């Protein structure tokens, strides 16, 4: 009898030792995090992490194990795990893993790892020769991977399931094992893998997605990298609101201008297009007493006519068609709290939803998203006008540049700075930019003087601004260049010669008609004289204009900037 007890005790001890030596997916993929065994809803295509892990084919190394240093030729491989979270419950959340190889290494079209040309310290002797880090193609082809008895057992995942044999499956040299919510998903791939997970059976709140990556080896797969990322599942529609105002100087400071429309553009974060067939409405309360505004468009505008601080509230509601079925009663939607992002209540275990009969015979649920923001409305510069442009006449010694005075007025608040942009006639290519601070104490009326080095046609943009706003006025101007002394002398010589010829011609005509037409002589002479006087007067007006200082219209000009 004692022998039987001894035998039973030995069997129990052996079973305990065997259980203790068994490694499960939870042990490998938790990465040191405590993961209590709890019941979770089944994720489609995923398996329970209590399954056994084949540690002989897929060895498990703890952090700090020295074998990590030699797991890859030429350095360490890192993995980057990205997600498009937050995700509305019921939609898909997508994850992308990207392997980052050591310097000068990359993946070729066959899935092999090679050194980039002209990057290695010891380049190959021939330019046609390629230097491989891992030439898996040659290895697989020489062994006829699928029929090679010694390697046939390699074509399985850590839980023993065989690799799927889709086209090109033998060129996928990495194994990715994902873990979340007490379950795992395994797949093969190349240096980057993307997959999506439906969130219908995932509780609300923050969760961790972890991934372990293995590469092919001669006798076993070799761990090369790990990564993890936090993703969020929420029952609130993730939304973002962008605001734009024409004369607003800084759109990120939430300060806007009175009596100028503000454009509100709502962006719904729905990368999996879960809400594509939903009826979406936008309920606005701008906080200025204008009431509730309901729209079906994601873009709207509103004009604040008063200065002050206001609170903007937006509710986005989606009516989502779903198959009819039993619905577990849940708590109603909160009405007092308003959030601006995804819900972060990790203790929420059920999604808040309604289900109603649809007039078309189906069913639908309601999902809401909330946005709240405080904005300030101030007086700003609403309009700028160029009311006068005057060319400044200069002396011969100052005629290197052409000067033009621009008389500018504005409406709204008083500006504190002015900028002038000189561009080509199409207003596309900027030639110069000049900005100056200004002090305007009474009326928005100022003169801006700008210099032009060369004659031609220019596009002028004059911007007046203050701390919160700015406005622009544009104009086309034709500038005539200043004349040098040599050019002026040439013009004077030409005019002198022209005057001599005209005088001689007039004298000949006078002599010719004097004896035959004594009466018309005086009339013709007067006409010729008047014509000459008018002709020389025009030349005088062009080349010797009167100074602008004598113009009574400019006596009241403001200070020049």
């Amino acid at each position: 009898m004692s022998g039987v007890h001894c035998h039973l005790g030995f069997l129990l001890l052996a079973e305990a030792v065997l259980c203790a030596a068994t490694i499960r997916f939870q042990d490998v993929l938790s990465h040191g995090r405590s993961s209590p065994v709890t019941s979770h809803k089944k994720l489609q295509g995923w398996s329970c992490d209590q399954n056994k892990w084949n540690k002989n084919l897929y060895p498990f190394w703890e952090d700090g194990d020295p074998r990590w240093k030699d797991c890859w030729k030429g350095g360490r491989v890192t993995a980057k795990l990205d997600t498009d979270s937050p995700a509305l419950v019921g939609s898909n959340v997508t994850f992308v893993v990207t392997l980052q190889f050591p310097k000068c290494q990359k993946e070729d079209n066959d899935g092999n790892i090679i050194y980039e040309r002209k990057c290695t310290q010891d380049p190959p002797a021939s330019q046609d020769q390629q230097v491989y880090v891992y030439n898996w193609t040659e290895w697989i082809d020489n062994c006829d991977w699928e029929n090679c008895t010694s390697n046939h057992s390699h074509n399985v995942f850590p839980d023993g399931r065989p690799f799927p044999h889709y086209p090109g499956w033998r060129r996928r040299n990495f194994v990715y094992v994902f873990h979340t919510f007490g379950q795992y998903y395994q797949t093969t791939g190349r240096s980057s893998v993307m997959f999506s997970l439906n969130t219908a059976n995932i509780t609300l709140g923050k969760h961790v997605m972890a991934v372990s990556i293995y590469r092919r080896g001669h006798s076993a797969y070799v761990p090369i990298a790990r990564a993890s990322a936090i993703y969020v599942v929420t029952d609130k529609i993730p939304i973002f609101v962008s605001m734009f105002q024409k004369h607003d100087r800084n759109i990120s400071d939430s300060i806007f201008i009175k009596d100028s429309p503000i454009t509100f553009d709502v962006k719904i974060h729905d990368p999996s297009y879960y809400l594509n067939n939903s009826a979406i409405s936008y309920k606005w309360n701008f906080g200025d007493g204008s009431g509730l505004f309901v729209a079906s468009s994601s873009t709207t505008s509103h004009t604040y006519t008063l200065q002050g601080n206001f609170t903007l509230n937006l509710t986005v509601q989606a009516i989502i068609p779903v198959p009819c079925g039993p619905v577990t009663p849940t708590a109603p939607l909160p009405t007092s709290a308003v959030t601006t992002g995804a819900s972060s209540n990790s203790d929420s275990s059920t999604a808040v939803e309604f289900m109603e009969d649809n007039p078309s015979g189906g069913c639908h649920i309601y999902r809401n998203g909330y946005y709240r923001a405080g904005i300030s409305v101030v007086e700003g510069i609403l309009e700028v006008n160029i009311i006068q442009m005057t060319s400044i006449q200069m002396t011969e010694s100052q005629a290197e540049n052409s000067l033009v005075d621009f008389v500018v007025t504005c409406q709204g608040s008083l500006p504190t700075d002015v900028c002038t942009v000189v561009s080509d006639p199409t207003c596309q290519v900027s030639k110069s930019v000049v900005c100056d601070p200004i002090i305007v104490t009474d009326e928005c009326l100022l003169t801006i003087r700008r210099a032009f080095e060369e004659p031609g046609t220019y596009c002028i943009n004059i911007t007046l601004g203050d701390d919160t706003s700015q406005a622009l006025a544009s104009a086309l101007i034709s500038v005539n260049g200043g004349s040098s002394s040599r050019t002026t002398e040439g013009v004077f010589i030409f005019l002198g010669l022209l005057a001599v010829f005209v005088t001689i011609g007039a004298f000949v005509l006078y002599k010719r008609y004097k004896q035959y037409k004594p009466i018309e002589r005086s009339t013709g002479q007067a006409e010729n004289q008047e014509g000459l006087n008018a002709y020389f007067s025009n030349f005088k007006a062009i080349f010797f204009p009167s100074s602008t200082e004598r113009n009574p219209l400019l006596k009241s000009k403001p200070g020049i900037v």
Side-chain angles (χ1 to χ4, degrees):
M1 192 70 175
S2 61
V4 173
H5 285 296
C6 226
H7 183 66
L8 290 176
F10 178 77
L11 291 178
L12 292 174
L13 179 61
E15 183 178 1
V17 172
L18 183 61
C19 290
T22 300
I23 296 180
R24 304 185 183 276
F25 274 76
Q26 180 185 12
D27 303 326
V28 176
L29 302 177
S30 60
H31 296 175
R33 298 185 305 271
S34 59
S35 302
V37 179
T38 56
S39 59
H40 298 293
K41 292 184 179 180
K42 181 73 168 58
L43 303 179
Q44 185 177 1
W46 290 59
S47 305
C48 178
D49 63 2
Q50 296 304 306
N51 292 342
K52 294 181 180 180
W53 176 282
N54 186 346
K55 65 178 182 179
N56 294 323
L57 189 59
Y58 291 87
F60 169 62
W61 300 339
E62 296 283 355
D63 292 336
D65 194 306
R67 288 175 291 184
W68 283 107
K69 298 180 180 179
D70 301 323
C71 66
W72 189 270
K73 295 179 182 178
R76 285 294 303 270
V77 176
T78 59
K80 183 180 179 183
L81 179 59
D82 296 315
T83 174
D84 61 4
S85 164
L88 182 63
V89 61
S91 67
N92 292 338
V93 58
T94 300
F95 299 88
V96 178
V97 185
T98 305
L99 296 181
Q100 298 174 342
F101 300 112
K103 184 180 179 180
C104 299
Q105 297 184 17
K106 68 176 183 179
E107 186 181 43
D108 67 5
N109 294 331
D110 294 325
N112 301 308
I113 309 302
I114 61 175
Y115 285 106
E116 295 184 31
R117 297 185 184 275
K118 300 180 180 180
C119 184
T120 58
Q121 295 181 355
D122 299 320
S126 173
Q127 292 296 327
D128 297 332
Q129 181 183 355
Q130 187 60 262
V131 178
Y132 287 90
V133 182
Y134 293 101
N135 190 351
W136 284 306
T137 299
E138 182 180 5
W139 175 15
I140 295 172
D141 291 344
N142 290 343
C143 183
D144 191 15
W145 181 267
E146 187 173 4
N147 299 322
C148 185
T149 304
S150 61
N151 283 332
H152 183 68
S153 60
H154 281 50
N155 300 331
V156 296
F157 288 111
D159 60 359
R161 297 179 187 177
F163 291 165
H165 289 192
Y166 33 66
W169 69 275
R170 293 197 302 170
R171 305 302 181 192
R172 302 189 176 194
N173 300 300
F174 300 99
V175 177
Y176 297 82
V177 185
F178 297 89
H179 182 253
T180 190
F181 224 62
Q183 300 169 62
Y184 68 89
Y185 171 78
Q186 49 196 5
T187 185
T188 59
R190 299 180 63 169
S191 60
S192 181
V193 165
M194 179 177 68
F195 78 98
S196 297
L197 171 65
N198 187 267
T199 60
N201 290 335
I202 298 182
T203 56
L204 305 182
K206 293 182 179 180
H207 304 281
V208 177
M209 176 67 71
V211 60
S212 295
I213 303 101
Y214 287 74
R215 68 164 176 86
R216 290 190 187 274
H218 288 280
S219 60
Y221 286 87
V222 181
I224 58 172
R226 296 173 181 170
S228 62
I230 295 177
Y231 66 99
V232 177
V233 178
T234 176
D235 60 345
K236 308 294 189 301
I237 301 175
I239 59 176
F240 173 78
V241 180
S242 61
M243 308 178 197
F244 170 77
Q245 192 176 42
K246 180 179 180 181
H247 299 298
D248 188 20
R249 193 160 195 170
N250 184 1
I251 61 175
S252 62
D253 61 0
S254 298
I255 300 177
F256 299 94
I257 306 167
K258 181 175 73 73
D259 296 326
S260 180
I262 306 173
T263 300
F264 300 90
D265 187 19
V266 183
K267 301 294 184 183
I268 296 179
H269 182 72
D270 183 30
S272 65
Y273 307 105
Y274 175 64
L275 300 177
N276 262 18
N277 298 322
S278 304
I280 302 177
S281 61
Y282 304 84
K283 301 178 182 179
W284 296 90
N285 187 341
F286 297 102
D288 59 350
S290 58
L292 184 65
F293 177 70
V294 182
S296 59
S297 173
S298 61
T299 302
T300 189
S301 62
H302 182 73
T303 301
Y304 286 89
T305 59
L306 300 175
Q307 299 185 48
N309 297 321
F310 304 94
T311 300
L312 170 69
N313 285 285
L314 168 65
T315 300
V316 178
Q317 185 176 82
I319 305 176
I320 309 171
V322 294
C324 293
V327 178
T328 304
T330 59
L333 286 171
T335 57
S336 58
V338 180
T339 61
T340 59
S343 173
S344 60
N345 297 329
S346 58
D347 58 347
S348 301
S349 59
T350 57
V352 181
E353 64 184 26
F354 295 108
M355 178 175 286
E356 294 183 357
D357 292 334
N358 202 347
S360 62
C363 294
H364 55 262
I365 59 176
Y366 289 84
R367 296 290 184 199
N368 290 338
Y370 304 96
Y371 179 84
R372 181 176 183 176
I375 62 176
S376 299
V377 178
V378 299
E379 187 80 20
I381 302 174
L382 299 177
E383 185 179 354
V384 174
N385 294 301
I386 302 175
I387 62 174
Q388 185 177 346
M389 295 183 291
T390 306
S391 178
I392 304 302
Q393 301 300 325
M394 304 181 64
T395 62
E396 182 179 335
S397 60
Q398 298 174 335
E400 294 181 359
N401 296 330
S402 297
L403 298 181
V404 178
D405 280 354
F406 300 89
V407 181
V408 179
T409 63
C410 65
Q411 297 180 8
S413 61
L414 298 178
T416 58
D417 57 76
V418 57
C419 287
T420 305
V421 180
V422 179
S423 308
D424 67 333
T426 64
C427 299
Q428 299 295 323
V429 181
S430 176
K431 296 182 177 297
S432 65
V433 179
V434 179
C435 294
D436 296 300
I438 56 176
I439 299 177
V440 181
T441 58
D442 185 14
E443 181 183 5
C444 185
L445 176 65
L446 66 153
T447 300
I448 304 167
R449 176 170 293 179
R450 291 294 179 255
F452 298 85
E453 296 181 356
E454 298 178 355
T457 302
Y458 298 92
C459 174
I460 305 299
N461 292 326
I462 297 178
T463 303
L464 301 183
D466 57 13
D467 293 338
T468 59
S469 63
Q470 60 183 7
L472 170 70
S474 300
L476 284 175
I477 182 173
S478 181
V479 177
N480 296 322
S483 299
S484 64
S485 59
R486 181 174 300 178
T487 303
T488 304
E489 292 175 358
V491 172
F492 286 158
I493 293 173
F494 171 76
L495 292 178
L497 292 176
L498 181 61
V500 170
F501 285 120
V502 170
T503 304
I504 295 173
F507 178 77
V508 171
L509 291 176
Y510 171 76
K511 285 293 185 180
R512 180 178 180 181
Y513 291 99
K514 178 178 180 182
Q515 57 181 345
Y516 299 103
K517 295 181 180 180
I519 299 176
E520 289 80 5
R521 178 186 56 194
S522 300
T523 305
Q525 184 178 1
E527 290 178 355
N528 289 334
Q529 188 173 3
E530 290 176 359
L532 289 175
N533 290 337
Y535 189 82
F536 285 112
S537 296
N538 291 335
F539 274 103
K540 181 180 179 181
I542 294 175
F543 292 97
F544 302 98
S546 59
S547 175
T548 56
E549 298 298 332
R550 300 177 183 178
N551 194 330
L553 295 178
L554 301 180
K555 290 183 178 179
S556 59
K557 290 174 59 177
I560 298 176
V561 179

